PDB file of all heavy atoms in Angstrom:
ATOM      1  N   SER A 543       4.624  -4.087  10.066  1.00  0.00           N
ATOM      2  CA  SER A 543       3.133  -3.887  10.052  1.00  0.00           C
ATOM      3  C   SER A 543       2.593  -3.997   8.686  1.00  0.00           C
ATOM      4  O   SER A 543       1.584  -4.656   8.464  1.00  0.00           O
ATOM      5  CB  SER A 543       2.880  -2.515  10.662  1.00  0.00           C
ATOM      6  OG  SER A 543       1.504  -2.211  10.564  1.00  0.00           O
ATOM      7  N   LEU A 544       3.277  -3.376   7.649  1.00  0.00           N
ATOM      8  CA  LEU A 544       2.762  -3.417   6.317  1.00  0.00           C
ATOM      9  C   LEU A 544       2.956  -4.846   5.715  1.00  0.00           C
ATOM     10  O   LEU A 544       2.071  -5.337   5.002  1.00  0.00           O
ATOM     11  CB  LEU A 544       3.533  -2.423   5.455  1.00  0.00           C
ATOM     12  CG  LEU A 544       2.994  -2.215   4.066  1.00  0.00           C
ATOM     13  CD1 LEU A 544       1.521  -1.924   4.012  1.00  0.00           C
ATOM     14  CD2 LEU A 544       3.720  -1.127   3.300  1.00  0.00           C
ATOM     15  N   PHE A 545       4.084  -5.501   5.961  1.00  0.00           N
ATOM     16  CA  PHE A 545       4.302  -6.890   5.487  1.00  0.00           C
ATOM     17  C   PHE A 545       3.225  -7.828   6.049  1.00  0.00           C
ATOM     18  O   PHE A 545       2.736  -8.744   5.337  1.00  0.00           O
ATOM     19  CB  PHE A 545       5.681  -7.374   5.826  1.00  0.00           C
ATOM     20  CG  PHE A 545       6.743  -6.853   4.953  1.00  0.00           C
ATOM     21  CD1 PHE A 545       8.103  -7.030   5.241  1.00  0.00           C
ATOM     22  CD2 PHE A 545       6.477  -6.211   3.742  1.00  0.00           C
ATOM     23  CE1 PHE A 545       9.144  -6.487   4.425  1.00  0.00           C
ATOM     24  CE2 PHE A 545       7.435  -5.732   2.884  1.00  0.00           C
ATOM     25  CZ  PHE A 545       8.751  -5.924   3.241  1.00  0.00           C
ATOM     26  N   GLU A 546       2.838  -7.647   7.307  1.00  0.00           N
ATOM     27  CA  GLU A 546       1.824  -8.462   7.908  1.00  0.00           C
ATOM     28  C   GLU A 546       0.478  -8.329   7.165  1.00  0.00           C
ATOM     29  O   GLU A 546      -0.231  -9.250   6.883  1.00  0.00           O
ATOM     30  CB  GLU A 546       1.615  -8.018   9.377  1.00  0.00           C
ATOM     31  CG  GLU A 546       0.590  -8.732  10.149  1.00  0.00           C
ATOM     32  CD  GLU A 546       0.453  -8.276  11.583  1.00  0.00           C
ATOM     33  OE1 GLU A 546       1.533  -8.050  12.216  1.00  0.00           O
ATOM     34  OE2 GLU A 546      -0.668  -8.040  12.078  1.00  0.00           O
ATOM     35  N   GLN A 547       0.146  -7.025   6.810  1.00  0.00           N
ATOM     36  CA  GLN A 547      -1.075  -6.794   6.055  1.00  0.00           C
ATOM     37  C   GLN A 547      -1.003  -7.388   4.647  1.00  0.00           C
ATOM     38  O   GLN A 547      -2.010  -7.937   4.173  1.00  0.00           O
ATOM     39  CB  GLN A 547      -1.419  -5.322   6.007  1.00  0.00           C
ATOM     40  CG  GLN A 547      -1.711  -4.723   7.294  1.00  0.00           C
ATOM     41  CD  GLN A 547      -2.865  -5.415   7.977  1.00  0.00           C
ATOM     42  OE1 GLN A 547      -3.916  -5.623   7.420  1.00  0.00           O
ATOM     43  NE2 GLN A 547      -2.686  -5.749   9.234  1.00  0.00           N
ATOM     44  N   ILE A 548       0.093  -7.276   3.992  1.00  0.00           N
ATOM     45  CA  ILE A 548       0.295  -7.797   2.663  1.00  0.00           C
ATOM     46  C   ILE A 548       0.183  -9.336   2.675  1.00  0.00           C
ATOM     47  O   ILE A 548      -0.448  -9.943   1.806  1.00  0.00           O
ATOM     48  CB  ILE A 548       1.668  -7.382   2.058  1.00  0.00           C
ATOM     49  CG1 ILE A 548       1.605  -5.907   1.726  1.00  0.00           C
ATOM     50  CG2 ILE A 548       2.024  -8.224   0.818  1.00  0.00           C
ATOM     51  CD1 ILE A 548       2.938  -5.320   1.346  1.00  0.00           C
ATOM     52  N   HIS A 549       0.688  -9.939   3.685  1.00  0.00           N
ATOM     53  CA  HIS A 549       0.636 -11.445   3.847  1.00  0.00           C
ATOM     54  C   HIS A 549      -0.817 -11.845   4.048  1.00  0.00           C
ATOM     55  O   HIS A 549      -1.288 -12.832   3.437  1.00  0.00           O
ATOM     56  CB  HIS A 549       1.493 -11.885   5.014  1.00  0.00           C
ATOM     57  CG  HIS A 549       1.514 -13.332   5.146  1.00  0.00           C
ATOM     58  ND1 HIS A 549       2.170 -14.154   4.286  1.00  0.00           N
ATOM     59  CD2 HIS A 549       0.972 -14.169   6.069  1.00  0.00           C
ATOM     60  CE1 HIS A 549       2.030 -15.425   4.625  1.00  0.00           C
ATOM     61  NE2 HIS A 549       1.306 -15.443   5.756  1.00  0.00           N
ATOM     62  N   LYS A 550      -1.596 -11.097   4.802  1.00  0.00           N
ATOM     63  CA  LYS A 550      -3.034 -11.426   4.988  1.00  0.00           C
ATOM     64  C   LYS A 550      -3.814 -11.313   3.717  1.00  0.00           C
ATOM     65  O   LYS A 550      -4.748 -12.056   3.530  1.00  0.00           O
ATOM     66  CB  LYS A 550      -3.609 -10.524   6.097  1.00  0.00           C
ATOM     67  CG  LYS A 550      -3.254 -10.847   7.483  1.00  0.00           C
ATOM     68  CD  LYS A 550      -3.887  -9.881   8.448  1.00  0.00           C
ATOM     69  CE  LYS A 550      -3.408 -10.201   9.873  1.00  0.00           C
ATOM     70  NZ  LYS A 550      -4.020  -9.215  10.826  1.00  0.00           N
ATOM     71  N   LEU A 551      -3.445 -10.356   2.879  1.00  0.00           N
ATOM     72  CA  LEU A 551      -4.189 -10.172   1.646  1.00  0.00           C
ATOM     73  C   LEU A 551      -3.820 -11.159   0.496  1.00  0.00           C
ATOM     74  O   LEU A 551      -4.543 -11.271  -0.417  1.00  0.00           O
ATOM     75  CB  LEU A 551      -3.908  -8.745   1.152  1.00  0.00           C
ATOM     76  CG  LEU A 551      -4.471  -7.611   1.916  1.00  0.00           C
ATOM     77  CD1 LEU A 551      -3.959  -6.274   1.368  1.00  0.00           C
ATOM     78  CD2 LEU A 551      -5.962  -7.643   2.048  1.00  0.00           C
ATOM     79  N   LYS A 552      -2.729 -11.910   0.735  1.00  0.00           N
ATOM     80  CA  LYS A 552      -2.297 -12.904  -0.183  1.00  0.00           C
ATOM     81  C   LYS A 552      -2.032 -12.386  -1.593  1.00  0.00           C
ATOM     82  O   LYS A 552      -2.520 -12.915  -2.601  1.00  0.00           O
ATOM     83  CB  LYS A 552      -3.290 -14.048  -0.279  1.00  0.00           C
ATOM     84  CG  LYS A 552      -3.465 -14.789   1.046  1.00  0.00           C
ATOM     85  CD  LYS A 552      -4.435 -15.902   0.919  1.00  0.00           C
ATOM     86  CE  LYS A 552      -4.425 -16.711   2.170  1.00  0.00           C
ATOM     87  NZ  LYS A 552      -5.524 -16.531   3.069  1.00  0.00           N
ATOM     88  N   ILE A 553      -1.280 -11.272  -1.667  1.00  0.00           N
ATOM     89  CA  ILE A 553      -0.959 -10.661  -2.946  1.00  0.00           C
ATOM     90  C   ILE A 553       0.483 -10.846  -3.320  1.00  0.00           C
ATOM     91  O   ILE A 553       0.906 -10.433  -4.418  1.00  0.00           O
ATOM     92  CB  ILE A 553      -1.354  -9.174  -3.036  1.00  0.00           C
ATOM     93  CG1 ILE A 553      -0.690  -8.384  -1.906  1.00  0.00           C
ATOM     94  CG2 ILE A 553      -2.848  -9.025  -3.025  1.00  0.00           C
ATOM     95  CD1 ILE A 553      -1.004  -6.886  -1.968  1.00  0.00           C
ATOM     96  N   GLU A 554       1.288 -11.359  -2.390  1.00  0.00           N
ATOM     97  CA  GLU A 554       2.740 -11.577  -2.682  1.00  0.00           C
ATOM     98  C   GLU A 554       2.959 -12.917  -3.341  1.00  0.00           C
ATOM     99  O   GLU A 554       2.226 -13.850  -3.124  1.00  0.00           O
ATOM    100  CB  GLU A 554       3.559 -11.409  -1.463  1.00  0.00           C
ATOM    101  CG  GLU A 554       3.222 -12.479  -0.359  1.00  0.00           C
ATOM    102  CD  GLU A 554       3.981 -12.208   0.931  1.00  0.00           C
ATOM    103  OE1 GLU A 554       5.089 -11.647   0.912  1.00  0.00           O
ATOM    104  OE2 GLU A 554       3.442 -12.572   1.976  1.00  0.00           O
TER     105      GLU A 554
END
Side-chain angles (χ1 to χ4, degrees):
S543 174
L544 188 56
F545 281 168
E546 180 181 315
Q547 294 304 310
I548 288 171
H549 184 69
K550 285 181 184 178
L551 294 173
K552 298 181 171 104
I553 57 176
E554 61 186 330

